[in-house]
Amino acid sequence: MACSRWRRRQRALAAALAWLLLAALALPALAGVMTKEALARRFPSPLMVGEKDAALPIWPLLRQNATAIELVGYAFESVDFAPVPGFSGTPVNLLVAIDPKGSFLDVQVLSHHEPVFLEGLGEAPMFRFVEQYRGLSLTQSVAIDTAPRGGPRNEGSLVHIDGVAKATASVRIMNQSVLASALKVARARLGFAGAADPDQIARLRPDVFERIGFDDMRREGMVGHVILSNRQVEAAFAGSAGEGLDPEALAKPDEPASEFYMALASVPSIGRNLLTPASWTRLSDRLEPRDHALLVAYGGRYGVLGGDFVAGTAPDRLLLKQNGLAIEMRDLDLDLKSAEPALRGKSLRVFRIIGQSGLDLAQPLDLALVVKRAKGIIYPERINREFSSALRLPARFYDAPVANDKGWVAIWRQRWAELALLAAGLAVLAVALARQRALVANPRRFAWFRQGYLLFTLLFIGWYAQGQLSIVNLTGALQALRDGRGLEFFLYDPMTVSLWAFVFVSLLVWGRGTFCGWLCPFGALQEFIGKLAQRLRLPQLTIRRHWDARLKLLKYLVLASILGSVFVSAELADKLVEAEPFKTAITLNFVRSWPFVLYAGALLAASAVVYKSFCRYLCPFGAGLAILGRIRLLDWLPRRRECGKPCQTCRHRCEYEAIRPDGGIRYEDCFQCMDCVVIHQSDDLCAPLILEKKRARVVVIHAATPS
């Protein structure tokens, strides 16, 4: 009867969780909250906040310059453009301001629900982190260092900023929010529309060099060639105001007007074959890492440089484009010599394309000669025509970009060693649980194995790798689904994802006890304290069975309260998740304000006299796993028909009170300590085996010897 009532309660709790999930999907998503007045307080005089853009949720920032009003930049909220969920499931909302060139004027935190910064590390490290973006540019690649080094450090096109220890995943999510939202605004308003992310483009392979002939380079598209006759140029202006304005073109239509070759001389297999060794060395010395150099050899009466061209500036008659977007280039003012006979006798100019420009070697590159004509004297009408040629670099000269390397993929790569060690540890545990009879064959060896594995869980998974699964994972998922967002934010914490993958499988096979009994760092810490207390012979409190059953229901009440708060108030949810001491004891190593340390310490002290009391009675995450564990496929702990009838050895030895009087296992309360399996397999501990052993004993009776 009691068992059927308990199952009905669990079904009701599962149904309640399903309704909470459906309710989450029906709630509206977040949007920006700033008003013009609020922005004016954050950007005071001499700045002025203009009217909100009609098409985008952005605000122009203006400044009075004499009689003119000039645009200083745009301000916007990250949640309107890149609502990347944080670990609470709710995005961090950042106020971002960028200037017309794509540099950051300011980044401020408007709101957040990141657990590690709420009554944990505090918000100060978060504020210091976002302050580092001031003065950085969207054309730079941003790398986040785990060890602070004193602020941003520029290394050419790469800039390093300080991360926050214990909050690595959170700051990466914030970085993604800042850059993704700013790039969207830059593409829409600053002409960044076709620009590639500098971290998502093909990279030159500087160690690759081939001897290639000039004709072969032209056939492969590595060298572009344009020859324009006067007739072609005139035909391009036909029907416009520029028609007939060049007398020489009209008088000599078949003579050349302009001719030029172009090539990416920064590619060793191009530059070293086209230039003399001294010129190649001179060019290489002038280029920064990731920079490119465009070599142009030209002739004809209409050159690629105008009469008022100034050395070291951008060319006025050449236009470089990729995917329809103009890419800036500047003259390097180098006197170079060509080793290629086809280029001798022509003028040579080399133009630098900075690495931050986003030029992608895997995409075609177009160079256009702009022919300009003007009609009129006082207010001349200017008419331009473009004549272009395309370049394409063969794939053997570059490395293709790796998708999403700027986001969560990078952190997975950085933590490959930790993930490999975790995978090995999980494999060991899976094999051990699958071969439980061999595992417990020697009780002493099993005890050493279990204590050693729990030490691995506490020291490596918990304190070192920060892999403590938590109720925050569940509330974060619910909040993300509530706001109509995906769960990609979990990918920024590879340890959490890897552990969850294993836990989901283990729930199917063995139930909730695999995590709670073997993989929970706080649970391992409690167990060590409990065992130490028993060795020190501290008095142990015995909870009566009927009270134990009632107290175990508390954790389901805590779980329901926390999950329900998600749909009431994010602030309330932030407070209720502190029922878990995991953040204090594991994530922050007790470096926290005293009320939280006192709470976590009290729970650990309680576990010294009531074995793993928090896990058994209060843990909301354990309650959630107990409900999810109902999908378990196997009743895998071995039982005999004598278990419970009459033998009660395992039941009385079970410190979790997870064995019913009839000998059955309550898997929702079982922590897989496997003490009952040790007893079950032992001829010296299991009462039915001891009895069988006695019955099988043969007593030899000898006849009495006559005296």
Side-chain angles (χ1 to χ4, degrees):
M1 182 68 72
C3 180
S4 63
R5 281 200 306 270
W6 172 235
R7 289 183 177 177
R8 285 197 300 271
R9 289 170 184 164
Q10 286 202 314
R11 284 195 294 269
L13 282 168
L17 287 176
W19 278 109
L20 285 174
L21 183 58
L22 291 174
L25 299 176
L27 292 179
L30 294 176
V33 297
M34 294 300 289
T35 63
K36 183 177 180 179
E37 293 73 21
L39 280 171
R41 289 191 293 271
R42 291 178 179 267
F43 298 100
S45 180
L47 296 181
M48 300 179 292
V49 179
E51 296 300 323
K52 192 174 185 179
D53 192 285
L56 287 174
I58 61 176
W59 307 82
L61 300 177
L62 310 169
R63 180 171 50 205
Q64 185 84 30
N65 186 2
T67 59
I69 294 179
E70 62 182 17
L71 177 68
V72 175
Y74 293 101
F76 50 90
E77 295 176 64
S78 63
V79 74
D80 286 325
F81 296 93
V84 183
F87 273 88
S88 66
T90 301
V92 176
N93 191 17
L94 303 163
L95 178 62
V96 183
I98 57 175
D99 70 14
K101 293 184 179 179
S103 294
F104 288 98
L105 298 172
D106 199 6
V107 177
Q108 302 175 23
V109 178
L110 292 178
S111 64
H112 76 96
H113 297 280
E114 290 302 281
V116 72
F117 293 118
L118 291 171
E119 298 293 343
L121 297 174
E123 295 179 320
M126 174 187 277
F127 296 153
R128 288 195 296 269
F129 173 77
V130 300
E131 286 173 359
Q132 297 177 93
Y133 287 93
R134 293 175 189 166
L136 303 187
S137 173
L138 282 170
T139 59
Q140 294 176 300
S141 299
V142 178
I144 300 175
D145 292 337
T146 53
R149 299 183 184 177
R153 295 163 307 286
N154 283 286
E155 296 179 0
S157 60
L158 178 67
V159 59
H160 291 262
I161 63 176
D162 291 337
V164 179
K166 304 289 186 182
T168 303
S170 290
V171 296
R172 285 186 176 274
I173 290 173
M174 293 171 66
N175 179 63
Q176 189 75 357
S177 301
V178 170
L179 297 182
S181 61
L183 279 171
K184 286 185 178 181
V185 174
R187 287 167 181 153
R189 288 291 179 270
L190 305 183
F192 280 47
D197 183 336
D199 281 351
Q200 297 298 308
I201 59 178
R203 299 295 183 195
L204 178 67
R205 300 176 63 188
D207 56 328
V208 175
F209 172 71
E210 298 177 6
R211 285 290 177 189
I212 310 175
F214 188 71
D215 292 337
D216 290 333
M217 282 194 280
R218 289 189 59 187
R219 275 192 294 271
E220 290 195 69
M222 300 159 66
V223 174
H225 186 207
V226 172
I227 301 178
L228 292 175
S229 66
N230 287 329
R231 188 186 304 278
Q232 289 173 295
V233 175
E234 191 61 35
F237 285 99
S240 71
E243 183 178 6
L245 296 182
D246 186 347
E248 187 171 349
L250 295 174
K252 303 175 182 179
D254 294 324
E255 296 218 357
S258 184
E259 178 185 11
F260 66 89
Y261 292 91
M262 62 172 184
L264 280 174
S266 49
V267 178
S269 296
I270 298 176
R272 288 176 60 182
N273 284 311
L274 295 183
L275 299 173
T276 63
S279 292
W280 166 253
T281 301
R282 195 177 301 120
L283 173 61
S284 301
D285 290 343
R286 287 288 299 274
L287 297 178
E288 298 287 342
R290 297 190 179 184
D291 282 357
H292 302 287
L294 184 72
L295 178 70
V296 180
Y298 61 94
R301 67 185 185 89
Y302 192 88
V304 300
L305 303 175
D308 57 353
F309 172 74
V310 178
T313 64
D316 54 346
R317 291 183 179 179
L318 289 177
L319 184 61
L320 188 64
K321 291 183 179 181
Q322 190 169 61
N323 297 326
L325 174 73
I327 296 178
E328 185 183 73
M329 58 180 179
R330 289 188 173 271
D331 175 45
L332 276 175
D333 194 20
L334 286 176
D335 182 18
L336 302 180
K337 304 296 182 184
S338 174
E340 172 53 47
L343 301 184
R344 289 174 187 164
K346 298 189 179 300
S347 300
L348 293 183
R349 279 285 177 178
V350 63
F351 302 95
R352 178 189 178 201
I353 305 161
I354 61 174
Q356 303 97 306
S357 67
L359 187 148
D360 190 349
L361 295 176
Q363 302 296 322
L365 189 64
D366 296 314
L367 181 68
L369 173 66
V370 182
V371 179
K372 303 177 180 181
R373 291 183 178 180
K375 185 175 184 178
I377 298 176
I378 300 177
Y379 297 106
E381 181 182 355
R382 303 187 185 279
I383 309 97
N384 300 335
R385 293 292 183 269
E386 297 178 9
F387 302 88
S388 62
S389 180
L391 292 177
R392 180 178 287 277
L393 191 65
R396 64 184 182 274
F397 297 118
Y398 59 79
D399 291 317
V402 180
N404 286 330
D405 194 50
K406 196 168 188 175
W408 56 266
V409 174
I411 196 170
W412 283 73
R413 287 180 173 171
Q414 291 173 3
R415 302 189 69 179
W416 69 267
E418 296 172 22
L419 292 171
L421 182 55
L422 175 66
L426 296 178
V428 168
L429 179 61
V431 171
L433 295 180
R435 304 182 67 237
Q436 56 175 302
R437 291 181 182 273
L439 181 64
V440 302
N442 185 317
R444 183 180 294 273
R445 184 177 60 195
F446 169 72
W448 278 106
F449 173 81
R450 178 162 173 79
Q451 297 307 308
Y453 201 92
L454 291 179
L455 196 63
F456 167 79
T457 294
L458 177 61
L459 298 182
F460 173 72
I461 296 180
W463 282 332
Y464 179 80
Q466 296 288 289
Q468 173 75 67
L469 298 189
S470 165
I471 190 63
V472 173
N473 302 142
L474 299 182
T475 58
L478 278 179
Q479 288 180 328
L481 294 173
R482 178 197 66 185
D483 295 333
R485 301 184 178 92
L487 303 179
E488 295 87 355
F489 64 94
F490 279 121
L491 295 173
Y492 286 87
D493 188 353
M495 297 298 292
T496 295
V497 173
S498 302
L499 280 168
W500 263 116
F502 184 84
V503 169
F504 274 129
V505 174
S506 69
L507 283 171
L508 280 171
V509 180
W510 297 302
R512 60 80 64 101
T514 305
F515 172 79
C516 295
W518 293 87
L519 295 172
C520 177
F522 188 78
L525 180 58
Q526 278 195 105
E527 185 157 335
F528 283 130
I529 289 175
K531 294 296 184 185
L532 178 62
Q534 291 174 12
R535 289 201 173 194
L536 295 175
R537 299 190 177 184
L538 294 181
Q540 301 292 300
L541 298 181
T542 302
I543 308 295
R544 293 178 180 271
R545 293 189 184 276
H546 68 280
W547 279 110
D548 176 79
R550 287 170 171 79
L551 288 173
K552 283 176 178 175
L553 296 177
L554 283 177
K555 60 180 177 287
Y556 296 99
L557 180 60
V558 176
L559 172 67
S561 300
I562 293 174
L563 296 185
S565 70
V566 170
F567 312 105
V568 176
S569 164
E571 289 75 14
L572 178 60
D574 293 338
K575 290 180 172 60
L576 291 182
V577 295
E578 294 292 350
E580 276 186 343
F582 301 168
K583 181 165 64 175
T584 301
I586 304 300
T587 306
L588 300 175
N589 304 112
F590 296 98
V591 181
R592 207 175 178 193
S593 57
W594 70 266
F596 297 98
V597 174
L598 181 62
Y599 173 66
L603 291 176
L604 290 173
S607 69
V609 294
V610 178
Y611 192 69
K612 295 187 79 167
S613 53
F614 175 79
C615 297
R616 293 162 61 187
Y617 304 129
L618 291 175
C619 182
F621 187 67
L625 291 183
I627 294 174
L628 294 175
R630 300 296 294 180
I631 61 177
R632 184 192 74 258
L633 300 177
L634 303 176
D635 288 342
W636 65 287
L637 294 173
R639 299 280 83 194
R640 291 189 172 87
R641 71 171 182 269
E642 294 91 353
C643 293
K645 297 176 293 183
C647 182
Q648 299 286 323
T649 303
C650 291
R651 180 189 174 211
H652 292 306
R653 295 280 187 91
C654 180
E655 295 182 287
Y656 300 100
E657 301 286 354
I659 300 178
R660 295 191 296 269
D662 62 2
I665 306 292
R666 286 194 295 265
Y667 282 90
E668 62 273 10
D669 295 329
C670 176
F671 284 68
Q672 288 182 12
C673 67
M674 299 180 70
D675 287 346
C676 62
V677 183
V678 172
I679 295 171
H680 182 275
Q681 298 297 110
S682 173
D683 291 340
D684 299 320
L685 299 174
C686 179
L689 290 183
I690 294 172
L691 187 58
E692 287 183 17
K693 195 173 176 182
K694 287 182 178 179
R695 288 172 178 169
R697 184 179 300 161
V698 176
V699 179
V700 179
I701 300 175
H702 298 279
T705 304
S707 55

